[in-house]
Amino acid sequence: MLPAQWQKRLVDMNVQPLTDADLAWADVVFLGGLTIQWEGTERVIARCKAIGKRTVAGGPLFTAAYALFQDVDHFVLNEAELTLPDLVADLENGSPRRMYRTRELADMRQTPAPLWELAKLDQYAVAGIQYSRGCPFDCDFCNVTATLGRKTRVKDASQIIQELDDLYRAGWRERVVLRRRQPHRQQTRPAR
Ligand code: B12
Ligand code: SF4
């Protein structure tokens, strides 16, 4: 979703440390994460602040709790298909805002395939392809409906084939999980 001409480096802190050299290399540090990664994310923000590095934050943690992160420079909330293009344009104009958000939901048929070459694929046991977003159900422990809506939106078959081909070309030969927001199975009683 970022311009092709930008140089990009992906550091997934689940599988590798974020080094000082990584931060020094970047012009802008884009942060994403889940609520469970709150403390580690705060430490990264503090490291960026200490060296005066510009930060952009998005994804589930920040969409839910952006107000509690005062030291982030720019928030790109909700689905990046809709909110990231404005930040990119404003960064290139030299006038980025602090907040980018929307009430709209993205059309997943416009979602680009991930740049698998940025990931250290040999560090993973399973590769994931996101097939759908949104769910019509209402489990009280889950915030998918609040953030991604009640209507299931899906990628089309050609996108999934493209993503599988890209993974194969990147050398992946292990398992692939299609991440689908699927309703949990109804418990049915056996017929008497
Ligand atoms: C696959 C998945 C998993 C997998 C893989 C997790 C992983 N670490 O990669 C597994 C099964 C391991 C897992 C585990 C857990 N998960 Co989970 N998981 C998902 C799921 C189904 C898809 C996430 C995904 O990869 N999406 C693909 C990306 C492309 O889409 P996206 O996240 O929607 O990103 C978009 C925007 O958020 C935004 N965005 C995202 N990041 C960034 C960053 C920047 C800089 C910007 C600008 C934008 C941006 O742009 C993207 C495109 O629109 C979501 C539910 C869902 N449908 O979203 C839950 C979800 C993310 N999981 C959730 C939870 C709670 C967990 C667990 C904590 C559960 C538990 N109690 O153990 C663990 C945490 C494990 C860990 N430490 O990572 C919650 C997170 C809620 C929150 N606010 O933090 C979610 C939202 C589901 C829910 N119940 O509400 N999970
Ligand atoms: S069925 Fe799954 S995605 Fe839907 S509300 Fe329940 S836990 Fe969330």
Side-chain angles (χ1 to χ4, degrees):
M1 292 185 201
L2 295 171
Q5 68 274 19
W6 287 17
Q7 290 179 24
K8 306 169 192 81
R9 186 178 291 184
L10 173 70
V11 179
D12 177 357
M13 295 175 73
N14 286 300
V15 297
Q16 68 190 109
L18 175 67
T19 65
D20 290 342
D22 290 323
L23 291 179
W25 173 86
D27 295 322
V28 183
V29 178
F30 286 75
L31 297 136
L34 309 184
T35 307
I36 197 172
Q37 292 150 348
W38 192 307
E39 287 175 18
T41 307
E42 273 189 335
R43 285 196 291 273
V44 174
I45 295 167
R47 285 171 67 190
C48 292
K49 180 114 178 134
I51 59 170
K53 202 62 76 173
R54 190 193 287 268
T55 48
V56 175
L61 167 59
F62 297 102
T63 295
Y66 66 89
L68 301 173
F69 292 92
Q70 293 300 322
D71 287 339
V72 168
D73 296 314
H74 311 281
F75 292 106
V76 178
L77 306 183
N78 310 105
E79 292 173 275
E81 287 87 345
L82 300 175
T83 48
L84 192 54
D86 285 348
L87 170 87
V88 169
D90 291 350
L91 275 176
E92 293 192 331
N93 296 335
S95 57
R97 303 197 302 268
R98 181 141 199 270
M99 175 63 76
Y100 297 81
R101 61 198 304 197
T102 179
R103 289 179 185 277
E104 305 292 311
L105 296 172
D107 177 356
M108 288 192 73
R109 291 167 302 178
Q110 309 299 324
T111 300
L115 298 178
W116 293 111
E117 65 269 24
L118 296 181
K120 292 189 186 308
L121 287 177
D122 59 352
Q123 299 296 307
Y124 295 86
V126 179
I129 292 182
Q130 190 181 43
Y131 163 68
S132 74
R133 296 184 198 149
C135 175
F137 293 91
D138 209 8
C139 305
D140 57 10
F141 56 84
C142 173
N143 78 351
V144 161
T145 48
T147 52
L148 297 171
R150 294 184 173 278
K151 188 166 172 248
T152 304
R153 294 167 283 138
V154 298
K155 290 181 182 168
D156 66 29
S158 64
Q159 287 172 284
I160 302 300
I161 291 167
Q162 173 78 52
E163 292 193 30
L164 286 167
D165 282 345
D166 288 351
L167 265 174
Y168 193 85
R169 265 193 295 276
W172 185 255
R173 298 292 183 274
E174 304 297 331
R175 285 173 298 164
V176 177
V177 177
L178 282 188
R179 293 162 175 182
R180 176 171 177 223
R181 275 296 95 190
Q182 185 176 29
H184 296 149
R185 281 215 183 113
Q186 297 284 328
Q187 293 283 334
T188 48
R189 287 193 189 160
R192 287 173 191 264

